[in-house]
Structure formats: structure tokens, C-alpha cells
Amino acid sequence: MIEKGQTLPAGTLAELTKDGMVTHDITELFSGKKVVLFAVPGAFTPTCSEAHLPGFVVFADQLKDKGVDLIACISVNDAFVMKAWGEAQNASELMMLADGDASFTKSLGLDMDTGNFGGVRSQRYAMVIDNGVVTTLNVEAPKSFEVSTAEAILAEL
């Protein structure tokens, strides 16, 4: 598993924007920025939709006031689902990133097999990345939602 102090691995993530599909190079996307990246097991799932994503929507301005340049949500879903979920959650301040084949999630060592729920998914976590380097990493225990909340990340900035 990636650890605090390590540089993010290379790879790509997809985002469906108003201008079409964009493939982001991870190194370029996080270079020169302070980023909060949080991951959910699945878009439109209960805890993700009722608490995790909404918390980052509510606290986006406070996170930015603490020097965060970008807040991004990632899930092992396709970019169409991530865009629709972001719109449904009024998450216009956040970047909704898709890791459709779980390659980035696997490279972090934060994947999990959920069996018939959805197969390979991401563990729930939140990290702070400064110029591509992980400075905070809060990974939830299974079926927990405490350390990756927007409030927990805000308290650590």
C-alpha cells in the first residue's frame, strides 16, 4: 500500500467534462498542486452518496481556504457514471475521476474484491497530495466511515 511520503504512481484517470472525455495523466494532474483525493467503493451507493461525497461538497470552500487547489473524488466506475453522480450530488466544485479498470487503485494497493457487489473496487480513503507526494493518508477499516471524512481531512490541514 502507498504510504505517507511516497510519490503517486504513474497512470491515467478519466473524466467526462462538458467538452467530452478527458484522460488525465496522474503525474501532470497533481503536479504543483495541493490536492485532496478521496475514494469511494462505488458511486450512488449509500454511505458514499449520503455522507462521503456530500461532506466534501459542503466543506469545499473551507478546504480551499486551507490551501487546497483541487478536490477530487475517485471510484472504480466509468466516467459517465462519475459525471452523473457528481451532477446528482451538486459536486460542481469537485473533480469526478473514473478509474474504470481499477489500475490506479491497484497501483496504490488500495483495491479490494467485493465479490458479487461489484468485483474489484477501491477501499474508502482520503489523502492529501502535495506536488504528487502523499502527505496524509487515511484509509478506513472495512465498513467504517470515520478517518476519510471531509471533517477529518480539514482537521489535518
Side-chain angles (χ1 to χ4, degrees):
M1 177 179 10
I2 194 160
E3 295 179 9
K4 187 175 170 180
Q6 292 183 322
T7 300
L8 289 177
T12 59
L13 295 167
E15 178 188 24
L16 184 59
T17 70
K18 62 179 173 20
D19 299 320
M21 191 67 68
V22 176
T23 301
H24 294 285
D25 176 274
I26 291 164
T27 304
E28 291 176 18
L29 182 61
F30 298 123
S31 178
K33 296 180 193 87
K34 187 172 194 172
V35 179
V36 171
L37 176 68
F38 67 100
V40 297
F44 293 105
T45 57
T47 301
C48 307
S49 292
E50 295 165 13
H52 207 177
L53 178 59
F56 283 96
V57 171
V58 168
F59 287 100
D61 288 340
Q62 290 179 43
L63 289 163
K64 289 180 178 180
D65 287 347
K66 294 264 190 164
V68 173
D69 300 302
L70 172 66
I71 304 165
C73 176
I74 184 173
S75 184
V76 180
N77 285 110
D78 64 61
F80 297 95
V81 168
M82 292 303 288
K83 182 178 190 323
W85 189 42
E87 289 172 351
Q89 293 284 329
N90 297 311
S92 58
E93 300 265 333
L94 280 59
M95 182 176 268
M96 302 298 288
L97 298 170
D99 185 18
D101 65 355
S103 58
F104 178 66
T105 300
K106 289 177 183 177
S107 72
L108 294 175
L110 290 168
D111 56 303
M112 64 178 176
D113 188 344
T114 64
N116 65 5
F117 168 78
V120 175
R121 296 290 180 143
S122 177
Q123 294 180 51
R124 185 181 305 281
Y125 67 84
M127 64 172 70
V128 179
I129 303 156
D130 197 346
N131 195 27
V133 176
V134 177
T135 58
T136 300
L137 176 61
N138 296 354
V139 181
E140 294 288 357
K143 305 214 185 276
S144 294
F145 179 59
E146 297 170 10
V147 300
S148 67
T149 66
E151 298 90 332
I153 293 298
L154 191 57
E156 294 193 40
L157 292 174

